[in-house]
Amino acid sequence: MMFVYRWTARELRKIILAILKSWVADEIKRFNYVQNYSFKEKNLEKSEEKILLIYTKEQDNLLDFLSKFTQIERINID
């Protein structure tokens, strides 16, 4: 499953540790400084994000656990 994170790196490290210690994920991969571009009100906006790939056998437990963290948002790829 893929997620996006937009806050500080120090907080992300704490969240990753909490996810792994709770045993709701088997492995987490983090991609730093992914560029996000959007077009709002005739202006191009750029922001930097981190992408998390989280491997788990229990998706429902992971999603329930991550619902506590508002700074992590799931990316749905169609």
mmCIF file of all heavy atoms in Angstrom, residues 10-51:
data_model
loop_
_atom_site.group_PDB
_atom_site.id
_atom_site.type_symbol
_atom_site.label_atom_id
_atom_site.label_comp_id
_atom_site.label_asym_id
_atom_site.label_seq_id
_atom_site.Cartn_x
_atom_site.Cartn_y
_atom_site.Cartn_z
ATOM 1 N N ARG A 10 11.476 14.113 11.441
ATOM 2 C CA ARG A 10 11.584 13.588 12.806
ATOM 3 C C ARG A 10 10.272 12.927 13.245
ATOM 4 O O ARG A 10 10.269 11.857 13.846
ATOM 5 C CB ARG A 10 11.950 14.714 13.771
ATOM 6 C CG ARG A 10 12.076 14.233 15.206
ATOM 7 C CD ARG A 10 12.584 15.307 16.099
ATOM 8 N NE ARG A 10 14.025 15.452 15.804
ATOM 9 C CZ ARG A 10 14.749 16.490 16.136
ATOM 10 N NH1 ARG A 10 14.205 17.499 16.767
ATOM 11 N NH2 ARG A 10 16.023 16.542 15.856
ATOM 12 N N GLU A 11 9.158 13.563 12.944
ATOM 13 C CA GLU A 11 7.854 12.980 13.282
ATOM 14 C C GLU A 11 7.606 11.697 12.482
ATOM 15 O O GLU A 11 7.029 10.747 12.998
ATOM 16 C CB GLU A 11 6.739 13.986 13.029
ATOM 17 C CG GLU A 11 6.719 15.124 14.012
ATOM 18 C CD GLU A 11 6.478 14.674 15.438
ATOM 19 O OE1 GLU A 11 5.621 13.800 15.673
ATOM 20 O OE2 GLU A 11 7.165 15.187 16.333
ATOM 21 N N LEU A 12 8.031 11.685 11.229
ATOM 22 C CA LEU A 12 7.848 10.487 10.400
ATOM 23 C C LEU A 12 8.607 9.306 10.987
ATOM 24 O O LEU A 12 8.097 8.186 11.005
ATOM 25 C CB LEU A 12 8.296 10.757 8.965
ATOM 26 C CG LEU A 12 8.185 9.559 8.013
ATOM 27 C CD1 LEU A 12 6.754 9.041 7.948
ATOM 28 C CD2 LEU A 12 8.680 9.941 6.633
ATOM 29 N N ARG A 13 9.803 9.544 11.461
ATOM 30 C CA ARG A 13 10.586 8.465 12.072
ATOM 31 C C ARG A 13 9.845 7.873 13.268
ATOM 32 O O ARG A 13 9.801 6.653 13.442
ATOM 33 C CB ARG A 13 11.945 8.998 12.495
ATOM 34 C CG ARG A 13 12.840 7.961 13.126
ATOM 35 C CD ARG A 13 14.237 8.531 13.354
ATOM 36 N NE ARG A 13 15.016 7.731 14.261
ATOM 37 C CZ ARG A 13 15.659 6.622 13.930
ATOM 38 N NH1 ARG A 13 15.598 6.182 12.702
ATOM 39 N NH2 ARG A 13 16.354 5.962 14.827
ATOM 40 N N LYS A 14 9.233 8.698 14.083
ATOM 41 C CA LYS A 14 8.461 8.219 15.236
ATOM 42 C C LYS A 14 7.256 7.400 14.785
ATOM 43 O O LYS A 14 6.925 6.380 15.387
ATOM 44 C CB LYS A 14 7.992 9.399 16.085
ATOM 45 C CG LYS A 14 9.104 10.118 16.801
ATOM 46 C CD LYS A 14 8.568 11.314 17.567
ATOM 47 C CE LYS A 14 9.663 12.135 18.193
ATOM 48 N NZ LYS A 14 9.140 13.325 18.878
ATOM 49 N N ILE A 15 6.597 7.853 13.719
ATOM 50 C CA ILE A 15 5.426 7.137 13.207
ATOM 51 C C ILE A 15 5.837 5.782 12.638
ATOM 52 O O ILE A 15 5.177 4.767 12.884
ATOM 53 C CB ILE A 15 4.683 7.992 12.167
ATOM 54 C CG1 ILE A 15 4.045 9.202 12.848
ATOM 55 C CG2 ILE A 15 3.628 7.166 11.436
ATOM 56 C CD1 ILE A 15 3.471 10.230 11.892
ATOM 57 N N ILE A 16 6.931 5.748 11.875
ATOM 58 C CA ILE A 16 7.416 4.483 11.317
ATOM 59 C C ILE A 16 7.744 3.508 12.438
ATOM 60 O O ILE A 16 7.379 2.326 12.381
ATOM 61 C CB ILE A 16 8.631 4.720 10.394
ATOM 62 C CG1 ILE A 16 8.188 5.411 9.110
ATOM 63 C CG2 ILE A 16 9.358 3.419 10.089
ATOM 64 C CD1 ILE A 16 9.310 5.845 8.198
ATOM 65 N N LEU A 17 8.400 3.982 13.466
ATOM 66 C CA LEU A 17 8.729 3.131 14.617
ATOM 67 C C LEU A 17 7.458 2.603 15.281
ATOM 68 O O LEU A 17 7.367 1.423 15.632
ATOM 69 C CB LEU A 17 9.583 3.921 15.610
ATOM 70 C CG LEU A 17 10.183 3.138 16.761
ATOM 71 C CD1 LEU A 17 11.088 2.028 16.249
ATOM 72 C CD2 LEU A 17 10.961 4.068 17.664
ATOM 73 N N ALA A 18 6.455 3.447 15.444
ATOM 74 C CA ALA A 18 5.190 3.022 16.058
ATOM 75 C C ALA A 18 4.483 1.974 15.203
ATOM 76 O O ALA A 18 3.928 1.004 15.730
ATOM 77 C CB ALA A 18 4.280 4.230 16.263
ATOM 78 N N ILE A 19 4.503 2.146 13.888
ATOM 79 C CA ILE A 19 3.868 1.179 12.980
ATOM 80 C C ILE A 19 4.543 -0.182 13.105
ATOM 81 O O ILE A 19 3.878 -1.212 13.229
ATOM 82 C CB ILE A 19 3.912 1.681 11.525
ATOM 83 C CG1 ILE A 19 3.032 2.915 11.344
ATOM 84 C CG2 ILE A 19 3.486 0.581 10.559
ATOM 85 C CD1 ILE A 19 3.238 3.629 10.017
ATOM 86 N N LEU A 20 5.865 -0.186 13.071
ATOM 87 C CA LEU A 20 6.600 -1.455 13.140
ATOM 88 C C LEU A 20 6.470 -2.122 14.509
ATOM 89 O O LEU A 20 6.322 -3.342 14.589
ATOM 90 C CB LEU A 20 8.064 -1.233 12.775
ATOM 91 C CG LEU A 20 8.316 -0.845 11.319
ATOM 92 C CD1 LEU A 20 9.774 -0.474 11.111
ATOM 93 C CD2 LEU A 20 7.895 -1.959 10.377
ATOM 94 N N LYS A 21 6.494 -1.332 15.578
ATOM 95 C CA LYS A 21 6.356 -1.908 16.926
ATOM 96 C C LYS A 21 4.960 -2.456 17.188
ATOM 97 O O LYS A 21 4.788 -3.338 18.019
ATOM 98 C CB LYS A 21 6.710 -0.866 17.985
ATOM 99 C CG LYS A 21 8.188 -0.682 18.167
ATOM 100 C CD LYS A 21 8.461 0.236 19.338
ATOM 101 C CE LYS A 21 9.934 0.288 19.656
ATOM 102 N NZ LYS A 21 10.208 1.151 20.818
ATOM 103 N N SER A 22 3.970 -1.934 16.483
ATOM 104 C CA SER A 22 2.598 -2.420 16.683
ATOM 105 C C SER A 22 2.319 -3.694 15.876
ATOM 106 O O SER A 22 1.249 -4.271 15.988
ATOM 107 C CB SER A 22 1.597 -1.337 16.290
ATOM 108 O OG SER A 22 1.646 -1.139 14.886
ATOM 109 N N TRP A 23 3.264 -4.099 15.037
ATOM 110 C CA TRP A 23 3.174 -5.313 14.225
ATOM 111 C C TRP A 23 2.054 -5.274 13.187
ATOM 112 O O TRP A 23 1.531 -6.309 12.798
ATOM 113 C CB TRP A 23 3.044 -6.549 15.105
ATOM 114 C CG TRP A 23 4.238 -6.769 15.972
ATOM 115 C CD1 TRP A 23 4.341 -6.438 17.289
ATOM 116 C CD2 TRP A 23 5.507 -7.312 15.587
ATOM 117 N NE1 TRP A 23 5.601 -6.754 17.755
ATOM 118 C CE2 TRP A 23 6.338 -7.289 16.733
ATOM 119 C CE3 TRP A 23 6.016 -7.814 14.400
ATOM 120 C CZ2 TRP A 23 7.642 -7.757 16.714
ATOM 121 C CZ3 TRP A 23 7.326 -8.274 14.375
ATOM 122 C CH2 TRP A 23 8.114 -8.242 15.527
ATOM 123 N N VAL A 24 1.638 -4.102 12.744
ATOM 124 C CA VAL A 24 0.619 -4.020 11.689
ATOM 125 C C VAL A 24 1.257 -3.936 10.306
ATOM 126 O O VAL A 24 0.546 -3.997 9.302
ATOM 127 C CB VAL A 24 -0.345 -2.819 11.894
ATOM 128 C CG1 VAL A 24 -1.180 -3.011 13.141
ATOM 129 C CG2 VAL A 24 0.401 -1.508 11.921
ATOM 130 N N ALA A 25 2.587 -3.838 10.246
ATOM 131 C CA ALA A 25 3.298 -3.804 8.965
ATOM 132 C C ALA A 25 4.524 -4.697 9.055
ATOM 133 O O ALA A 25 5.130 -4.839 10.121
ATOM 134 C CB ALA A 25 3.711 -2.387 8.610
ATOM 135 N N ASP A 26 4.871 -5.307 7.928
ATOM 136 C CA ASP A 26 6.050 -6.161 7.873
ATOM 137 C C ASP A 26 7.300 -5.376 7.485
ATOM 138 O O ASP A 26 8.394 -5.653 7.965
ATOM 139 C CB ASP A 26 5.842 -7.296 6.869
ATOM 140 C CG ASP A 26 4.649 -8.159 7.251
ATOM 141 O OD1 ASP A 26 4.446 -8.400 8.447
ATOM 142 O OD2 ASP A 26 3.911 -8.574 6.344
ATOM 143 N N GLU A 27 7.114 -4.383 6.605
ATOM 144 C CA GLU A 27 8.251 -3.630 6.084
ATOM 145 C C GLU A 27 7.770 -2.279 5.570
ATOM 146 O O GLU A 27 6.662 -2.174 5.050
ATOM 147 C CB GLU A 27 8.876 -4.421 4.938
ATOM 148 C CG GLU A 27 10.134 -3.867 4.374
ATOM 149 C CD GLU A 27 10.706 -4.781 3.302
ATOM 150 O OE1 GLU A 27 10.706 -6.014 3.495
ATOM 151 O OE2 GLU A 27 11.128 -4.235 2.277
ATOM 152 N N ILE A 28 8.613 -1.252 5.705
ATOM 153 C CA ILE A 28 8.274 0.097 5.229
ATOM 154 C C ILE A 28 9.441 0.635 4.419
ATOM 155 O O ILE A 28 10.590 0.572 4.858
ATOM 156 C CB ILE A 28 7.969 1.048 6.398
ATOM 157 C CG1 ILE A 28 6.780 0.542 7.207
ATOM 158 C CG2 ILE A 28 7.725 2.471 5.891
ATOM 159 C CD1 ILE A 28 6.501 1.314 8.475
ATOM 160 N N LYS A 29 9.144 1.159 3.246
ATOM 161 C CA LYS A 29 10.143 1.826 2.419
ATOM 162 C C LYS A 29 9.748 3.295 2.298
ATOM 163 O O LYS A 29 8.584 3.600 2.075
ATOM 164 C CB LYS A 29 10.217 1.207 1.035
ATOM 165 C CG LYS A 29 10.685 -0.235 1.058
ATOM 166 C CD LYS A 29 10.892 -0.744 -0.328
ATOM 167 C CE LYS A 29 11.238 -2.209 -0.351
ATOM 168 N NZ LYS A 29 12.424 -2.597 0.327
ATOM 169 N N ARG A 30 10.732 4.190 2.444
ATOM 170 C CA ARG A 30 10.468 5.624 2.383
ATOM 171 C C ARG A 30 11.241 6.234 1.216
ATOM 172 O O ARG A 30 12.426 6.004 1.044
ATOM 173 C CB ARG A 30 10.909 6.295 3.680
ATOM 174 C CG ARG A 30 10.665 7.795 3.669
ATOM 175 C CD ARG A 30 11.137 8.429 4.926
ATOM 176 N NE ARG A 30 12.599 8.549 4.861
ATOM 177 C CZ ARG A 30 13.333 9.053 5.825
ATOM 178 N NH1 ARG A 30 12.781 9.450 6.945
ATOM 179 N NH2 ARG A 30 14.641 9.129 5.708
ATOM 180 N N PHE A 31 10.526 7.029 0.418
ATOM 181 C CA PHE A 31 11.138 7.780 -0.670
ATOM 182 C C PHE A 31 11.112 9.247 -0.264
ATOM 183 O O PHE A 31 10.049 9.796 0.001
ATOM 184 C CB PHE A 31 10.359 7.600 -1.982
ATOM 185 C CG PHE A 31 10.354 6.189 -2.471
ATOM 186 C CD1 PHE A 31 9.342 5.317 -2.117
ATOM 187 C CD2 PHE A 31 11.365 5.732 -3.293
ATOM 188 C CE1 PHE A 31 9.326 4.019 -2.557
ATOM 189 C CE2 PHE A 31 11.364 4.427 -3.743
ATOM 190 C CZ PHE A 31 10.346 3.559 -3.378
ATOM 191 N N ASN A 32 12.262 9.884 -0.246
ATOM 192 C CA ASN A 32 12.362 11.275 0.180
ATOM 193 C C ASN A 32 12.156 12.245 -0.973
ATOM 194 O O ASN A 32 12.521 11.956 -2.106
ATOM 195 C CB ASN A 32 13.732 11.559 0.786
ATOM 196 C CG ASN A 32 13.809 11.140 2.224
ATOM 197 O OD1 ASN A 32 12.804 11.029 2.907
ATOM 198 N ND2 ASN A 32 15.002 10.888 2.698
ATOM 199 N N TYR A 33 11.638 13.392 -0.625
ATOM 200 C CA TYR A 33 11.582 14.562 -1.497
ATOM 201 C C TYR A 33 10.980 14.291 -2.875
ATOM 202 O O TYR A 33 11.576 14.569 -3.896
ATOM 203 C CB TYR A 33 12.972 15.204 -1.618
ATOM 204 C CG TYR A 33 13.560 15.478 -0.280
ATOM 205 C CD1 TYR A 33 14.674 14.795 0.173
ATOM 206 C CD2 TYR A 33 12.950 16.391 0.585
ATOM 207 C CE1 TYR A 33 15.197 15.030 1.431
ATOM 208 C CE2 TYR A 33 13.473 16.633 1.851
ATOM 209 C CZ TYR A 33 14.592 15.947 2.263
ATOM 210 O OH TYR A 33 15.099 16.174 3.507
ATOM 211 N N VAL A 34 9.809 13.748 -2.867
ATOM 212 C CA VAL A 34 9.044 13.577 -4.092
ATOM 213 C C VAL A 34 8.383 14.916 -4.388
ATOM 214 O O VAL A 34 7.821 15.555 -3.505
ATOM 215 C CB VAL A 34 7.989 12.464 -3.917
ATOM 216 C CG1 VAL A 34 7.126 12.340 -5.147
ATOM 217 C CG2 VAL A 34 8.665 11.167 -3.565
ATOM 218 N N GLN A 35 8.468 15.364 -5.614
ATOM 219 C CA GLN A 35 7.894 16.661 -5.999
ATOM 220 C C GLN A 35 6.412 16.485 -6.339
ATOM 221 O O GLN A 35 6.066 15.600 -7.107
ATOM 222 C CB GLN A 35 8.612 17.224 -7.222
ATOM 223 C CG GLN A 35 10.126 17.159 -7.186
ATOM 224 C CD GLN A 35 10.748 17.933 -6.060
ATOM 225 O OE1 GLN A 35 10.426 19.042 -5.873
ATOM 226 N NE2 GLN A 35 11.638 17.337 -5.313
ATOM 227 N N ASN A 36 5.581 17.325 -5.792
ATOM 228 C CA ASN A 36 4.149 17.313 -6.090
ATOM 229 C C ASN A 36 3.806 18.654 -6.745
ATOM 230 O O ASN A 36 4.059 19.709 -6.177
ATOM 231 C CB ASN A 36 3.333 17.129 -4.809
ATOM 232 C CG ASN A 36 1.860 17.090 -5.080
ATOM 233 O OD1 ASN A 36 1.416 16.542 -6.072
ATOM 234 N ND2 ASN A 36 1.076 17.683 -4.194
ATOM 235 N N TYR A 37 3.222 18.593 -7.922
ATOM 236 C CA TYR A 37 2.828 19.794 -8.648
ATOM 237 C C TYR A 37 1.311 19.826 -8.775
ATOM 238 O O TYR A 37 0.684 18.805 -9.051
ATOM 239 C CB TYR A 37 3.438 19.809 -10.058
ATOM 240 C CG TYR A 37 4.938 19.908 -10.060
ATOM 241 C CD1 TYR A 37 5.729 18.771 -10.085
ATOM 242 C CD2 TYR A 37 5.564 21.141 -10.033
ATOM 243 C CE1 TYR A 37 7.106 18.865 -10.084
ATOM 244 C CE2 TYR A 37 6.951 21.243 -10.030
ATOM 245 C CZ TYR A 37 7.710 20.093 -10.059
ATOM 246 O OH TYR A 37 9.068 20.194 -10.054
ATOM 247 N N SER A 38 0.730 21.000 -8.586
ATOM 248 C CA SER A 38 -0.704 21.182 -8.791
ATOM 249 C C SER A 38 -0.935 22.572 -9.377
ATOM 250 O O SER A 38 -0.127 23.478 -9.197
ATOM 251 C CB SER A 38 -1.478 21.008 -7.484
ATOM 252 O OG SER A 38 -1.045 21.931 -6.527
ATOM 253 N N PHE A 39 -2.029 22.707 -10.053
ATOM 254 C CA PHE A 39 -2.367 23.970 -10.699
ATOM 255 C C PHE A 39 -3.586 24.536 -9.996
ATOM 256 O O PHE A 39 -4.676 23.976 -10.082
ATOM 257 C CB PHE A 39 -2.655 23.729 -12.190
ATOM 258 C CG PHE A 39 -2.588 24.973 -13.015
ATOM 259 C CD1 PHE A 39 -1.400 25.654 -13.175
ATOM 260 C CD2 PHE A 39 -3.713 25.462 -13.647
ATOM 261 C CE1 PHE A 39 -1.328 26.799 -13.941
ATOM 262 C CE2 PHE A 39 -3.657 26.606 -14.409
ATOM 263 C CZ PHE A 39 -2.464 27.274 -14.560
ATOM 264 N N LYS A 40 -3.402 25.644 -9.258
ATOM 265 C CA LYS A 40 -4.493 26.249 -8.494
ATOM 266 C C LYS A 40 -4.562 27.735 -8.809
ATOM 267 O O LYS A 40 -3.560 28.439 -8.708
ATOM 268 C CB LYS A 40 -4.291 26.043 -6.998
ATOM 269 C CG LYS A 40 -4.359 24.592 -6.586
ATOM 270 C CD LYS A 40 -4.196 24.435 -5.108
ATOM 271 C CE LYS A 40 -4.243 22.952 -4.758
ATOM 272 N NZ LYS A 40 -3.995 22.724 -3.357
ATOM 273 N N GLU A 41 -5.731 28.171 -9.168
ATOM 274 C CA GLU A 41 -5.987 29.585 -9.441
ATOM 275 C C GLU A 41 -4.945 30.191 -10.382
ATOM 276 O O GLU A 41 -4.326 31.214 -10.103
ATOM 277 C CB GLU A 41 -6.055 30.381 -8.131
ATOM 278 C CG GLU A 41 -7.162 29.906 -7.221
ATOM 279 C CD GLU A 41 -7.192 30.684 -5.919
ATOM 280 O OE1 GLU A 41 -6.594 31.769 -5.850
ATOM 281 O OE2 GLU A 41 -7.830 30.190 -4.981
ATOM 282 N N LYS A 42 -4.698 29.510 -11.483
ATOM 283 C CA LYS A 42 -3.784 29.959 -12.540
ATOM 284 C C LYS A 42 -2.326 30.034 -12.098
ATOM 285 O O LYS A 42 -1.510 30.692 -12.718
ATOM 286 C CB LYS A 42 -4.222 31.299 -13.116
ATOM 287 C CG LYS A 42 -5.590 31.263 -13.754
ATOM 288 C CD LYS A 42 -5.924 32.588 -14.360
ATOM 289 C CE LYS A 42 -7.320 32.519 -14.969
ATOM 290 N NZ LYS A 42 -7.693 33.774 -15.615
ATOM 291 N N ASN A 43 -1.989 29.369 -11.010
ATOM 292 C CA ASN A 43 -0.612 29.327 -10.527
ATOM 293 C C ASN A 43 -0.177 27.877 -10.350
ATOM 294 O O ASN A 43 -0.949 27.038 -9.886
ATOM 295 C CB ASN A 43 -0.465 30.039 -9.180
ATOM 296 C CG ASN A 43 -0.681 31.525 -9.292
ATOM 297 O OD1 ASN A 43 -0.241 32.149 -10.253
ATOM 298 N ND2 ASN A 43 -1.379 32.087 -8.323
ATOM 299 N N LEU A 44 1.050 27.621 -10.713
ATOM 300 C CA LEU A 44 1.625 26.306 -10.504
ATOM 301 C C LEU A 44 2.212 26.242 -9.092
ATOM 302 O O LEU A 44 3.046 27.078 -8.724
ATOM 303 C CB LEU A 44 2.733 26.042 -11.535
ATOM 304 C CG LEU A 44 3.392 24.673 -11.472
ATOM 305 C CD1 LEU A 44 2.368 23.585 -11.790
ATOM 306 C CD2 LEU A 44 4.558 24.617 -12.425
ATOM 307 N N GLU A 45 1.751 25.282 -8.303
ATOM 308 C CA GLU A 45 2.239 25.120 -6.935
ATOM 309 C C GLU A 45 3.058 23.840 -6.837
ATOM 310 O O GLU A 45 2.660 22.805 -7.349
ATOM 311 C CB GLU A 45 1.073 25.060 -5.954
ATOM 312 C CG GLU A 45 0.331 26.366 -5.835
ATOM 313 C CD GLU A 45 -0.749 26.326 -4.771
ATOM 314 O OE1 GLU A 45 -0.810 25.346 -4.003
ATOM 315 O OE2 GLU A 45 -1.517 27.292 -4.710
ATOM 316 N N LYS A 46 4.191 23.950 -6.179
ATOM 317 C CA LYS A 46 5.087 22.813 -6.001
ATOM 318 C C LYS A 46 5.294 22.586 -4.508
ATOM 319 O O LYS A 46 5.500 23.525 -3.752
ATOM 320 C CB LYS A 46 6.425 23.106 -6.673
ATOM 321 C CG LYS A 46 7.468 22.045 -6.459
ATOM 322 C CD LYS A 46 8.794 22.491 -7.057
ATOM 323 C CE LYS A 46 9.901 21.596 -6.593
ATOM 324 N NZ LYS A 46 11.209 22.080 -7.039
ATOM 325 N N SER A 47 5.234 21.333 -4.102
ATOM 326 C CA SER A 47 5.522 20.992 -2.711
ATOM 327 C C SER A 47 6.323 19.696 -2.693
ATOM 328 O O SER A 47 6.309 18.927 -3.649
ATOM 329 C CB SER A 47 4.230 20.843 -1.910
ATOM 330 O OG SER A 47 3.446 19.805 -2.431
ATOM 331 N N GLU A 48 7.039 19.491 -1.601
ATOM 332 C CA GLU A 48 7.817 18.269 -1.442
ATOM 333 C C GLU A 48 7.119 17.363 -0.440
ATOM 334 O O GLU A 48 6.612 17.822 0.584
ATOM 335 C CB GLU A 48 9.236 18.587 -0.993
ATOM 336 C CG GLU A 48 10.031 19.276 -2.064
ATOM 337 C CD GLU A 48 11.493 19.436 -1.689
ATOM 338 O OE1 GLU A 48 11.855 19.227 -0.516
ATOM 339 O OE2 GLU A 48 12.266 19.774 -2.595
ATOM 340 N N GLU A 49 7.109 16.084 -0.761
ATOM 341 C CA GLU A 49 6.444 15.089 0.067
ATOM 342 C C GLU A 49 7.355 13.874 0.208
ATOM 343 O O GLU A 49 8.353 13.757 -0.493
ATOM 344 C CB GLU A 49 5.132 14.643 -0.578
ATOM 345 C CG GLU A 49 4.168 15.747 -0.860
ATOM 346 C CD GLU A 49 2.986 15.291 -1.692
ATOM 347 O OE1 GLU A 49 3.086 14.297 -2.424
ATOM 348 O OE2 GLU A 49 1.959 15.956 -1.592
ATOM 349 N N LYS A 50 6.978 13.002 1.081
ATOM 350 C CA LYS A 50 7.643 11.708 1.206
ATOM 351 C C LYS A 50 6.613 10.631 0.876
ATOM 352 O O LYS A 50 5.448 10.751 1.239
ATOM 353 C CB LYS A 50 8.182 11.521 2.613
ATOM 354 C CG LYS A 50 9.309 12.482 2.944
ATOM 355 C CD LYS A 50 9.680 12.392 4.390
ATOM 356 C CE LYS A 50 10.807 13.277 4.787
ATOM 357 N NZ LYS A 50 10.893 14.583 4.217
ATOM 358 N N ILE A 51 7.055 9.611 0.177
ATOM 359 C CA ILE A 51 6.182 8.494 -0.176
ATOM 360 C C ILE A 51 6.580 7.292 0.681
ATOM 361 O O ILE A 51 7.772 6.991 0.829
ATOM 362 C CB ILE A 51 6.317 8.125 -1.670
ATOM 363 C CG1 ILE A 51 5.960 9.304 -2.557
ATOM 364 C CG2 ILE A 51 5.488 6.893 -2.014
ATOM 365 C CD1 ILE A 51 4.503 9.668 -2.573
#
